[in-house]
Amino acid sequence: MVPSASVISDDPSILFNIAGMVQFIPYLTGREPAPFSRATSVQKCVRTEDIEEVGKTTRHGTFFQMNGNFSFGDYFKEGAIRFAWTFLTTPEAEGGLGFDPERLWATVHHEDAETVDLWLKETSLPRERIQFRGSEDNYWHTGQPGPGGYCSEIYFDRGPAYGAEGGPEADEDRYIEIWNLVFMEFELSAVRSKADFDVAGELPAKNIDTGMGLERVAFLKQGVENMYEIDEVFPVIEAASRLSGKRYGANHDDDVRMRVVADHVRAGLIIMGDGVRPGNEGRDYILRRLLRRAVRAMRLLGVSEPVLPELLPVSMEVMKASYPELERDFDRISRVAYAEEAAFLRTLESGTALLAQAVEKAGPAGTLSGEVAFALHDTHGFPIDLTLEMAAEHGVSVDAEGFRTLMSEQRERARADAKAKKGSAKDLSAFSALLERGRTEFIGYDSLSSDARVRGLVRDGEAVERAVPGDTLDLVLDVTPFYAESGGQRADRGLLTGDGFTARVLDVQSPVKGLSAHRVEIVDGEIAAGADVLAQVDSEHRFAAAQAHSATHLVHSALRSLLGPHAVQAGSLNQPGYMRFDYAYGDALSASARAEIEDAANTAVRDNMAVSYEHLPLEAAKASGALALFGEKYPEIVRVVDIGGPFSRELCGGTHVGSTAEVGPISVLSEASVGSGTRRIEAAVGLEAFRGLAKERTVLQSLSEMLKVPGADVPERVSSLMERLREAERTIAELGRARVLAAAAGAVESAREVNGVRVSATDLGQVADAGDVRTFVTDVRARMGEAPAVVAAAGSVNGKPSVVVAVTPEAQALGLRAGDLVKEACGVLGGGGGGKPDLAQGGGQDASKISAALDAVAAAAGRR
């Protein structure tokens, strides 16, 4: 039995594991030898391509569990069919699922007559309940180059109440697929669609991949109508019903929303459980979208207050039996989720204000443009269905077609980008071939140099025999002291030398598990595959990187000690002289907390704690108190880094100093938010920390000399000067406003009549801000009495023109609108503006045209 891999995919072209076999792809393709000939698993999967259909049908779900049976070169079609039929039809009391064999159907690929014969030979299934189907249904692949093959699906007949007779070909609502046997025997070189692909040849061994959808079998066995009503999902629907006061089953639209809530809350729970945090890119964005769609659906059910604190614990309670880590980690998970909901509710609040402005501009019975709806959705995260609902409340329609067009264009750009990324993914076949000749032995924990042999050279994904000066390519050794980048630690650098050649090591990566690829630049001579080399790590670079990595462990421990165990690592970067550490926490650190963490880490440095290592089985390491990081995949035997006994104990494959004193000073540079519920600490380490502090000392000394005060008094002196400066600025602003208001009486007297309207137009010259212009205009308008009047004024704010127009009620009755008039002025100034009928403002680029802009307002007022 193999436990579920993380829902996070190792494949950079796939955000989440979308099938039960994903973790076994290296074994199925032969890139890595399978550690077992057979396996059984329950794999967590997430598919989001049909996210908009979730809840609308009962067949679409975001998170699901795929039960799998796998054979790696062991049994094939005959055994797979026999095992599947036996398990499905054996009574529950005898360990099977107890399905009635008279209600089972099978489909096979139309070119796979052999499988039909095996169904008839191995089972009691009659020929009339076996149907041929095309590649769209009965050929399996991952959607990209890799393993593939014919498949045979098993369906359960729910009965005539659910649809038409005739098997899966006739009705897949009545006939529900519960099992898929994939006969994986081919390597696909190109995949253009589900049914259009190129077969490069056969796999090294014929393999079996069984897929049984746990949720589908569960709803059939539990006697409910669909997967949303099973015991792992329906309690969330019940909670949503209780919170909203809406009864499930009473209204189709409400039912859809409750199903969306149940699906997305569960999917979000699982994804966060595997270490993902909401964000704006990749899988982080998918998680954010799921959580926000759940909150949005509850809002449409009439619940406006936070809902995840009520719903998420319900989902955890029903899922913890299958995944106990959800309960252990729920404090972390819930903090992330609740912070995301709070952020989204603030977004909804700001989006509501923007929508209100757009509705007012559209006017009664108007139409909100697709561009506005798209901007609300794309920039502010405002859901389109909420836009439609709220616009309708104000009697305003929405150009939904325009919105959909813009969304479609965005999706096409996203697909093109994803396709480009997928297409540019590195071809690993050359590295896989080298791995077949043996793994790279890493000896860098104990030695910084070693004799080694060049196992192979790879340039642009192709194996080459030799490299010459000026070439930059990947080089694989049988033994290496070079640390390959992983766990946030940058790779080693150094030199490879041999008989007549020298190569500079620029980077080291692990393109396939067990192999180190050294990115080298050939300095002189010629290197060929099979050559003997001396591999030498740059000891200064290694030591500085080790300092940073050990400093990260110290800062992590200090954070957890101060903030609590939920402040766990969410990412890191360790390189010479610098460490960056992301951690889960919702609030900013106070200055005193930041200083306390810095002090605790440096105290650990002063105490010269021993840094030791041991290798333990994973579960034994966890039981010993070693901290395992979320989202990381660990082997069965792990390396435990212990610093000072109880001070810090983590699973870590990185390199470290021998004792904490070797870390040197740790100087925290910044602490800031990098996303909802995630904070980041950056620090200089070792000699770089000292150099940074020395620069600050020099700056302080310079300020001390300029201000003629001791260094300790510099902050107070600067604060005093800043307050005096602010006071001077306030005085200047007040004088400016007084000057502007003093001109108001003159503006009234100089107003001229234009076509029955009094028009006052004033150039105020330099002003402190646009508020002064606005104050002047409203003051002059108040002095105009009851006559129809237009008041315009403009001033230069930091070299840029600002214009304000006010219109009296009597002038508005004649058809004059401030917003129209200010646009006339802004057109002359090379800018734009707008506002309400009685008051509007705008600006432009060219202050030299203020006089012409004011003339344009007067002329427009006369054309009424």
Side-chain angles (χ1 to χ4, degrees), residues 50 52-61 173 226-228 252 256 259:
D50 295 322
E52 299 292 346
E53 298 304 313
V54 169
K56 295 177 182 177
T57 75
T58 56
R59 289 188 296 168
H60 291 91
D173 285 326
N226 54 65
M227 65 182 183
Y228 292 101
H252 172 73
V256 169
R259 289 196 289 263

Side-chain angles (χ1 to χ4, degrees), residues 159-401:
Y162 292 94
E165 295 275 1
E169 279 283 80
D171 190 333
E172 287 201 14
D173 285 326
R174 170 174 171 172
Y175 299 89
I176 297 291
E177 178 199 337
I178 58 174
W179 197 284
N180 188 11
L181 293 169
V182 179
F183 310 128
M184 207 170 292
E185 54 184 322
F186 302 114
E187 178 86 29
L188 308 188
S189 58
V191 177
R192 291 170 290 277
S193 71
K194 187 73 172 70
D196 184 14
F197 45 81
D198 296 331
V199 177
E202 294 187 355
L203 292 170
K206 294 182 177 182
N207 308 303
I208 288 294
D209 165 17
T210 294
M212 185 191 89
L214 181 61
E215 283 75 12
R216 289 190 179 184
V217 171
F219 90 72
L220 293 173
K221 296 303 295 180
Q222 291 177 18
V224 295
E225 289 298 305
N226 54 65
M227 65 182 183
Y228 292 101
E229 298 177 14
I230 66 174
D231 55 359
E232 286 190 343
V233 181
F234 194 65
V236 180
I237 290 180
E238 291 178 315
S241 174
R242 173 175 48 79
L243 287 172
S244 65
K246 305 290 182 68
R247 183 172 64 84
Y248 183 71
N251 177 277
H252 172 73
D253 290 342
D254 289 344
D255 288 354
V256 169
R257 289 161 185 158
M258 288 187 221
R259 289 196 289 263
V260 167
V261 170
D263 173 271
H264 288 5
V265 166
R266 186 168 80 133
L269 172 71
I270 294 293
I271 293 169
M272 287 184 290
D274 280 349
V276 180
R277 306 179 66 81
N280 292 324
E281 295 182 0
R283 63 177 64 93
D284 300 349
Y285 178 71
I286 295 296
L287 172 59
R288 167 162 288 170
R289 189 178 180 204
L290 290 170
L291 294 177
R292 292 188 171 194
R293 277 174 58 88
V295 174
R296 175 198 69 193
M298 288 300 295
R299 187 183 180 96
L300 294 176
L301 286 167
V303 185
S304 57
E305 61 269 14
V307 295
L308 291 183
E310 297 289 336
L311 300 174
L312 200 66
V314 173
S315 188
M316 183 273 289
E317 286 295 328
V318 294
M319 294 300 297
K320 69 181 183 182
S322 298
Y323 305 102
E325 66 273 13
L326 295 176
E327 183 175 30
R328 291 196 303 268
D329 301 336
F330 193 68
D331 182 63
R332 171 186 63 85
I333 295 168
S334 60
R335 283 176 177 270
V336 171
Y338 303 163
E340 178 63 19
E341 180 175 23
F344 182 47
L345 291 177
R346 291 192 295 271
T347 295
L348 283 176
E349 184 176 349
S350 63
T352 300
L354 291 168
L355 179 61
Q357 293 177 12
V359 166
E360 180 180 350
K361 186 175 181 180
T367 300
L368 210 65
S369 71
E371 289 82 1
V372 170
F374 180 75
L376 283 165
H377 170 85
D378 192 53
T379 305
H380 303 283
F382 210 63
I384 182 59
D385 44 5
L386 201 54
T387 298
L388 291 167
E389 178 183 314
M390 295 183 67
E393 291 173 356
H394 292 84
V396 174
S397 62
V398 179
D399 179 10
E401 185 60 37

Side-chain angles (χ1 to χ4, degrees), residues 507-528:
D507 189 19
V508 189
Q509 299 291 326
S510 183
V512 294
K513 186 178 179 181
L515 206 71
S516 291
H518 305 71
R519 190 71 172 172
V520 300
E521 177 188 12
I522 310 304
V523 178
D524 58 58
E526 182 178 290
I527 299 180

